[in-house]
Amino acid sequence: MPARTAYANRMSDLAPALDALLRLPGIAAGVESAREACTALRWHEALRRRIPEAAAESRIRGAQASAQLDGAQLPLGVIRDLVRGAQPWPAHLDPVDGVVRGAVQATAETEFLRSLVVQTPAQALARLHIAAVGGAAGGAVGLGGGDSVGRPRVADEVCREFVDLGPAPEGEALTARIAGILDLVSAAGSAPVALVGALVHAEVCVVRPFVRGNGLVARALERAIVHGAGLDPTGVSVPEAGYLAAGDTAYLGALTAYATGRADGVALWLRQACDAYVEGARQGRSIADSVLAGRIV
């Protein structure tokens, strides 16, 4: 079967599955709430002329939240100074600094992927992993990675992340699940972006395509989809902070429920994701308010 025909068949199978998810309790309403919250953010007065300033602050806050969801916490002011160059990164990164730098780099990379992510999802996935663990900025070590950077796991490589979600798929199962993730990304726009972003985030965490850095990549890829596929075209919302606001225990619990594959578990994750988009838009409005007032706090 030609590759184009096989891809078309996969996409035609995906549409009914996404429609079925929208019929789960609370999901259609949650997706609509996320859309409304991001639409309201788009029309904030500060974003008429100062989107770049607000979006840059969003990426800083998103990086802080993403790192914290991976267990690495630094004050927002410190991360802001590191990103702006007011404070140098340590010459030798400890585990916390490595995760934070990986989060900063992966979140920054989303700005360059917004026009590419839906059209070339495999390239986007690879670039985000390189940013997260390969030292894409200034030769930083990040999380470390060696020759596994930017490519999926192979047969003898093990991922020890997200162990609560069960064993990570391997071999042909891994290849098939990664193909499914890429198809999902490509569906953004034709399907509700909030639904696609939430599913892609969870799938990357469950499938764990890479040896390390999967959580950072999952959240950065979701941000790129939310921005690039039009849910939040300003890039000012902070979905990562939306997840963090619910607590890291709730975040991991919802992912664990999703990993069961049961309808109630999937619905639990999707509802939490939609709540995170609403909260992320609220935090985006706070950023826009600060920009309008002339001070970022």
Side-chain angles (χ1 to χ4, degrees), residues 101-191:
R101 183 146 195 177
V104 166
Q105 293 176 171
T107 308
E109 184 68 14
T110 64
E111 176 66 10
F112 305 104
L113 295 178
R114 66 184 189 275
S115 62
L116 302 174
V117 61
V118 176
Q119 288 74 29
T120 58
Q123 180 183 355
L125 190 64
R127 284 177 58 171
L128 288 172
H129 191 245
I130 292 168
V133 307
V141 176
L143 298 178
D147 63 2
S148 66
V149 175
R151 63 157 178 81
R153 292 182 287 116
V154 294
D156 60 342
E157 292 177 331
V158 176
C159 177
R160 294 183 174 85
E161 298 174 335
F162 293 109
V163 293
D164 291 340
L165 308 188
E170 299 178 349
E172 293 182 0
L174 174 61
T175 301
R177 292 290 292 270
I178 292 174
I181 291 170
L182 301 181
D183 287 348
L184 269 172
V185 178
S186 297
S190 59

Side-chain angles (χ1 to χ4, degrees), residues 18 21-22 27 30-31 34 177 181 184-185 187-188 191-207 217-227 229 231 239 243 251 254-255 258-259 265-278:
L18 294 175
L21 291 176
L22 285 171
I27 304 310
V31 166
R177 292 290 292 270
I181 291 170
L184 269 172
V185 178
V193 179
L195 179 64
V196 172
L199 289 170
V200 168
H201 181 159
E203 280 292 303
V204 172
C205 292
V206 171
V207 174
V217 170
R219 293 182 289 274
L221 184 56
E222 179 181 46
R223 171 180 275 265
I225 292 167
V226 166
H227 187 17
L231 179 61
Y243 290 106
Y251 174 73
L255 282 173
Y258 177 93
V266 173
L268 175 64
W269 166 257
L270 292 176
R271 288 193 296 269
Q272 184 174 116
C274 290
D275 289 345
Y277 293 146
V278 172

Side-chain angles (χ1 to χ4, degrees), residues 220-257:
L221 184 56
E222 179 181 46
R223 171 180 275 265
I225 292 167
V226 166
H227 187 17
L231 179 61
D232 170 31
T234 67
V236 176
S237 69
V238 196
E240 305 93 335
Y243 290 106
L244 184 60
D248 51 4
T249 300
Y251 174 73
L252 183 58
L255 282 173
T256 304

